[in-house]
Amino acid sequence: MAFWAAPVTIILALLTWTSLSLWKNLQTARQIGLPVVLSPVTPLNPFWILTWRIFPQILSLKHLPFGLGTWARCVYMGWSFDDKHALHDELGDVFIVVTPGGNEVVVADPETAHVVFSRRKEYIKPAVMYEQLNVFGPNLNTVEGEDWQRHRRLTAPSFSEKVSALVWNESLRQAQDMSSSWYRMGSRGTRTLVEDTATLTLHVLTSAGFGMSYPFSHGSQKPSDGHEMTYRHSLAICLSNIITFAIVPKKLLTLRWLPSRLRTLGQAVKEFQCYMDELLAHERTSRRTMPGNRNLVSAMLEASEESQLSVGKDTGSKLSLADNEIFGNIFAYSLAGHETTANTVAAALVLLAANPGYQQWLAEEIDSVCSTSSNPETWGYDTTFPKLQRCLAVMYETLRLYGSIVFIPKAASADSVQSLPYRGVSYKIPPSTFVTINVQALHTDQRTWGPDSLTWRPNRWFQTSDEAAVSLTNPKPGTFVPWADGPRNCPGQKFAQVEFVAVMATLFAGLRVKPVLQQGQTEPVGRSLLQSVVDGSRISAITLQMQEPKKVALEWFKRP
Ligand code: HEM
Ligand SMILES: *[C@@H]1O[C@H](CO)[C@@H](O)[C@H](O)[C@H]1NC(C)=O
């Protein structure tokens, strides 16, 4: 046999397998009866992911004529941010991407999306996409069915109004420090927006979440006794390596011969686990002396212990949370709540710097609501937060166009065929078919948001001429879903809102922000550069992030 026979046989076999699978999946899709895009690659195939990550140029196949490249528009992570509503304009609000590895139904119809979100047993989270989030134990993010119900019930008290008040206080404190550190940079401006907002959100989380408070400038922070890293540092390393956990098993991370980056990660995992052990032990003892939900963890612990007591010790095990599940949830809160909130604050600040008119608009509200005192520490949560509706509108508008989660993956449950209602017809979706909610398309649909659906315009959240309204307009179900929707929506929604609003109010009560201009640059050019920074966002690991946040420095100065 010639030397080339083996590779050629393999390639032929692969091609045959691919064509046969594609053909089979196409027949299945035809039976469903929705419009179809045929793709030669499977979005979750590791070789394909490596290919487009290393050679993103391959995605320019999307520009092939005669629709030959349509598939390339919708088979990579975060495609919907680039495409907005365009593919749905061409194919309809619901279509199927047929790939060799299976079919994916893409949904951008608000009513259909609402149904998928509300039927949590029929449309579940696809487990393959969440496996790595289990590093420290099963958690709210990764469990299904009865386990999920138990986790959700026992973690719900974590997100009480009491905790919101803590979030408010800590956010005001952190934001004041952040604000003075930016102001001190003067006309040179600051380029550390993304790092600083990440620090701020992490500190709010460790404080309101786990009762560990840090000053905003933590440069000289020392690890606690018996530790080599601080809690926040070990957590930050684990969070930024979430993709690594998908590839390298946790057990391997402690091996000696690993590259230093992985050994540091192994160290961080160990340290973070130790801190959580200590935290839990501390909460258990202090709960006896000082009852009451002081933070996310103590609330979770209390709910879990009460639940166990109320049913007696024998049957209690299935009703409470095991220690590793509490650890899992601590990590889940950190993961789900950190990057998302940080990105939203950072993107909003860049957009505000590009749109000074809205800074003035915010300041008017802050002046009227907080007029009694210029010291944020005196702004009470109950009296102040509900009135800062323009600050909240800035958050909503930022999440609408630059939300952290641009698509939400679901799958028809494995047991049976599921129905998918769309425009009065009930389509039959085979078991385990992926069903993706195209959040970005829902958020940019002109039929919902009008002809300027792509423009960032926070005052769209108020009915015309009613900007003094006490609450924002309520979008129709399924049209605005940055926190998902239905029973599996984001439990940290209020947490994030309170934090965001506190930060905006603190910053714009005293300061304004503008781009630092290069020699010969005009103000409009500086602003459009800022706009291009947010428009150039992409999914880095899990969430949408600005790729070049240091391109333009921001100058913070005292309000005129
Ligand atoms: C602007 C900030 C945030 C955004 C945009 C956001 C968005 C989301 C979305 C879209 C989901 C559903 C994900 C899915 O089904 O695949 C989700 C779930 C979740 N979020 Fe958030 N989130 C934010 C802040 C937070 C915060 C601050 C916390 C906690 C402190 C948090 C904790 C969670 C948890 C635990 C889940 C899983 C819930 C479940 O599966 O039952 N999130 N979030
Ligand atoms: C928040 O701060 C205010 C003012 O300093 C204080 O009165 C209040 O008790 C604090 N709330 C919480 C939950 O810590």
Side-chain angles (χ1 to χ4, degrees), residues 125-444:
K125 283 191 174 183
V128 282
M129 306 193 68
Y130 291 91
E131 205 51 55
Q132 73 260 34
L133 307 189
N134 278 328
V135 254
F136 292 99
N139 59 72
L140 198 51
N141 247 311
T142 59
V143 289
E144 281 291 343
E146 283 181 14
D147 274 339
W148 172 81
Q149 252 172 327
R150 176 173 53 94
H151 276 255
R152 185 84 182 197
R153 189 168 53 79
L154 296 176
T155 51
S158 293
F159 298 95
S160 64
E161 281 299 274
K162 239 185 210 163
V163 171
S164 289
L166 276 179
V167 173
W168 176 259
N169 280 8
E170 185 67 16
S171 304
L172 293 178
R173 203 166 73 93
Q174 296 283 332
Q176 283 173 88
D177 289 351
M178 184 170 78
S179 148
S180 13
S181 84
W182 286 348
Y183 178 66
R184 275 198 302 274
M185 298 301 289
S187 59
R188 273 173 303 156
T190 163
R191 289 183 202 266
T192 53
L193 171 72
V194 165
E195 291 88 338
D196 291 345
T197 48
T199 301
L200 180 140
T201 49
L202 190 64
H203 287 181
V204 173
L205 205 63
T206 56
S207 165
F210 323 125
M212 301 205 193
S213 218
Y214 298 92
F216 175 77
S217 325
H218 53 83
S220 58
Q221 197 79 31
K222 287 241 169 49
S224 330
D225 287 344
H227 287 278
E228 283 171 44
M229 290 177 184
T230 59
Y231 176 85
R232 74 165 294 282
H233 189 49
S234 65
L235 174 58
I237 293 180
C238 292
L239 291 178
S240 61
N241 277 286
I242 193 68
I243 298 292
T244 317
F245 290 127
I247 307 163
V248 188
K250 188 172 134 194
K251 287 212 177 72
L252 285 186
L253 290 172
T254 45
L255 295 179
R256 291 202 149 269
W257 44 266
L258 286 177
S260 72
R261 218 195 75 170
L262 288 181
R263 260 183 298 144
T264 310
L265 176 59
Q267 178 77 23
V269 168
K270 208 178 96 206
E271 292 271 330
F272 187 63
Q273 183 65 56
C274 281
Y275 276 115
M276 287 197 297
D277 291 336
E278 289 168 19
L279 180 62
L280 203 57
H282 171 76
E283 285 296 341
R284 286 217 161 100
T285 40
S286 68
R287 240 175 54 63
R288 268 171 232 128
T289 48
M290 269 198 306
N293 308 341
R294 287 175 319 278
N295 57 47
L296 290 183
V297 178
S298 49
M300 177 159 56
L301 201 63
E302 182 156 292
S304 178
E305 289 183 355
E306 269 168 14
S307 170
Q308 187 152 21
L309 285 180
S310 66
V311 293
K313 292 228 157 61
D314 317 332
T315 51
S317 57
K318 275 198 223 78
L319 286 161
S320 58
L321 292 170
D323 283 3
N324 72 328
E325 292 174 323
I326 291 184
F327 298 145
N329 281 314
I330 292 178
F331 188 64
Y333 290 159
S334 315
L335 183 76
H338 177 225
E339 230 173 69
T340 46
T341 316
N343 298 341
T344 314
V345 173
L349 292 179
V350 173
L351 287 157
L352 283 164
N355 295 276
Y358 283 112
Q359 297 182 44
Q360 176 58 30
W361 185 71
L362 278 189
E364 281 165 20
E365 174 180 82
I366 299 164
D367 282 351
S368 82
V369 173
C370 310
S371 56
T372 44
S373 162
S374 61
N375 175 9
E377 265 159 56
T378 61
W379 303 341
Y381 164 69
D382 323 340
T383 48
T384 317
F385 169 73
K387 293 192 194 138
L388 292 170
Q389 293 291 309
R390 288 185 185 178
C391 293
L392 191 61
V394 167
M395 181 186 206
Y396 279 21
E397 187 65 351
T398 306
L399 285 171
R400 184 177 72 82
L401 288 175
Y402 307 97
S404 290
I405 311 288
V406 296
F407 73 102
I408 296 174
K410 300 271 180 192
S413 81
D415 337 322
S416 58
V417 171
Q418 300 302 337
S419 76
L420 187 77
Y422 168 51
R423 302 227 170 125
V425 180
S426 177
Y427 294 90
K428 298 274 163 280
I429 309 297
S432 302
T433 307
F434 284 138
V435 177
T436 301
I437 308 296
N438 190 339
V439 174
Q440 195 72 25
L442 286 164
H443 287 182
T444 51

Side-chain angles (χ1 to χ4, degrees), residues 9-149:
T9 315
I10 292 174
I11 289 171
L12 281 178
L14 268 178
L15 279 178
T16 315
W17 179 84
T18 305
S19 326
L20 282 177
S21 318
L22 205 53
W23 190 80
K24 193 182 103 242
N25 292 337
L26 181 62
Q27 301 316 306
T28 314
R30 288 246 163 88
Q31 266 176 8
I32 300 175
L34 287 161
V36 159
V37 180
L38 209 55
S39 163
V41 301
T42 310
L44 287 180
N45 179 306
F47 292 107
W48 167 242
I49 295 178
L50 275 182
T51 309
W52 71 259
R53 287 257 184 211
I54 299 172
F55 308 106
Q57 303 85 341
I58 195 166
L59 295 177
S60 54
L61 283 176
K62 59 170 98 157
H63 304 298
L64 284 177
F66 315 117
L68 284 172
T70 306
W71 62 272
R73 285 165 65 181
C74 55
V75 290
Y76 61 99
M77 185 80 153
W79 65 271
S80 61
F81 179 76
D82 297 339
D83 207 77
K84 315 290 184 214
H85 200 269
L87 201 47
H88 290 281
D89 284 337
E90 292 166 34
L91 297 170
D93 290 329
V94 182
F95 60 79
I96 308 176
V97 187
V98 176
T99 79
N103 291 338
E104 176 186 0
V105 180
V106 184
V107 175
D109 177 80
E111 286 170 31
T112 310
H114 187 64
V115 169
V116 172
F117 279 132
S118 33
R119 297 187 188 161
R120 74 166 169 89
K121 290 183 182 154
E122 288 82 357
Y123 293 101
I124 60 171
K125 283 191 174 183
V128 282
M129 306 193 68
Y130 291 91
E131 205 51 55
Q132 73 260 34
L133 307 189
N134 278 328
V135 254
F136 292 99
N139 59 72
L140 198 51
N141 247 311
T142 59
V143 289
E144 281 291 343
E146 283 181 14
D147 274 339
W148 172 81
Q149 252 172 327

